[in-house]
Amino acid sequence: MPRWGMTIDLDRCSGCQACVVACKQENNVPFATAEDLDAGRGIYWMQVLARVEGEWPHVRMETMPMPCLHCDDPPCTKVCPVDATHKDSEGLVQQSSARCIGTRYCAQNCPYTVRFFNWKKPEFPGAFANYRSPEVAIRPKGVMEKCTLCAHRVKDAQDRAHREGRRALRDGEVTPACAEVCPGRAITFGDLDDPGARVSELARSPRAFRFLEELGTAPKVFHLRETRHGDG
Ligand code: SF4
């Protein structure tokens, strides 16, 4: 049984936000109006956090892509009164729109603020409506949503492997949308329990860390510390 996880190499991240756009497109993440954003009601399954230091022209910017971290001990799942969210047998923290009754307790209990509530019916303005993905169900008003690490791509690959008579996926056989489009190849996905998998090699790197590790949530998304500014 795999234990899916991800590494994000901050040395390779330029902050271009291609991952954010690809994730929105892949997962039918609804658009937000200026009013929605002013009210703090935008929805992002992938965000790029940025920290800017210094004054022009001596400015330094650090960026940090931030999906759901698929914690091994997820605090979000412990407060849902209807079991709409749970960690599955392969370590992915799943979210069921059909079960969700919109208490938003999970968002309160996620220390990484990567869960989002649908305050209104999802909107895909103009031509964007033509590009909705048939692979991922659109979430209705009144339920929570978040990154799945492209669980539908994992399922597709497992179905294909099953048809070919294979029990396990090959390393690198599943690539989430964010990893696929990253021009710096900063994002790696795979089985953390496979010691030969690229993702588990990277997760063992001395540069690897888990965001807010002291909370004990044990994220399965590891970031690799930035060294290009000479502080790693
Ligand atoms: Fe839950 Fe937040 Fe951890 Fe994702 S990052 S599993 S939403 S606690």
Side-chain angles (χ1 to χ4, degrees):
M1 190 74 75
R3 191 170 64 98
W4 300 116
M6 177 179 275
T7 56
I8 304 175
D9 188 339
L10 301 182
D11 262 349
R12 289 175 166 269
C13 175
S14 65
C16 71
Q17 309 238 10
C19 55
V20 176
V21 175
C23 174
K24 272 191 173 280
Q25 190 70 37
E26 174 82 9
N27 292 296
N28 295 321
V29 177
F31 277 69
T33 63
E35 292 75 31
D36 296 330
L37 296 177
D38 284 348
R41 294 181 176 180
I43 296 178
Y44 307 91
W45 287 23
M46 171 64 102
Q47 302 170 79
V48 176
L49 309 184
R51 184 170 68 179
V52 180
E53 290 176 351
E55 298 285 337
W56 178 260
H58 305 293
V59 175
R60 169 180 163 175
M61 186 167 86
E62 295 175 356
T63 55
M64 187 169 185
M66 185 65 65
C68 165
L69 302 183
H70 291 265
C71 306
D72 246 357
D73 190 8
C76 57
T77 62
K78 295 174 183 167
V79 290
C80 180
V82 293
D83 281 339
T85 182
H86 68 281
K87 189 175 78 167
D88 72 14
S89 58
E90 299 182 358
L92 296 176
V93 176
Q94 302 277 6
Q95 174 71 33
S96 164
S97 296
R99 289 192 69 91
C100 181
I101 58 172
T103 65
R104 292 177 279 140
Y105 292 161
C106 58
Q108 295 294 326
N109 237 34
C110 168
Y112 305 105
T113 63
V114 292
R115 284 180 164 272
F116 299 90
F117 184 66
N118 281 279
W119 290 93
K120 64 180 190 183
K121 186 167 176 266
E123 289 176 0
F124 300 90
F128 288 109
N130 300 331
Y131 297 103
R132 286 172 295 183
S133 166
E135 303 292 331
V136 180
I138 295 173
R139 288 69 59 189
K141 176 182 177 181
V143 303
M144 298 300 302
E145 61 179 76
K146 70 168 193 69
C147 153
T148 65
L149 287 185
C150 284
H152 58 288
R153 290 193 177 201
V154 175
K155 182 73 171 57
D156 279 354
Q158 288 172 329
D159 287 348
R160 190 171 55 246
H162 184 71
R163 288 194 299 275
E164 294 170 359
R166 288 183 288 130
R167 291 172 62 90
L169 298 182
R170 301 182 192 98
D171 184 34
E173 195 167 346
V174 181
T175 308
C178 56
E180 188 175 351
V181 300
C182 176
R185 296 285 174 259
I187 302 175
T188 304
F189 176 83
D191 180 3
L192 291 169
D193 281 351
D194 174 359
R198 180 75 181 136
V199 73
S200 63
E201 282 173 16
L202 290 167
R204 293 193 302 271
S205 151
R207 288 201 292 126
F209 70 97
R210 290 163 146 173
F211 192 46
L212 299 180
E213 179 149 28
E214 63 276 18
L215 298 179
T217 52
K220 289 192 295 299
V221 174
F222 293 74
H223 290 86
L224 270 60
R225 202 175 308 283
E226 192 176 353
T227 61
R228 60 187 159 181
H229 294 293
D231 57 357

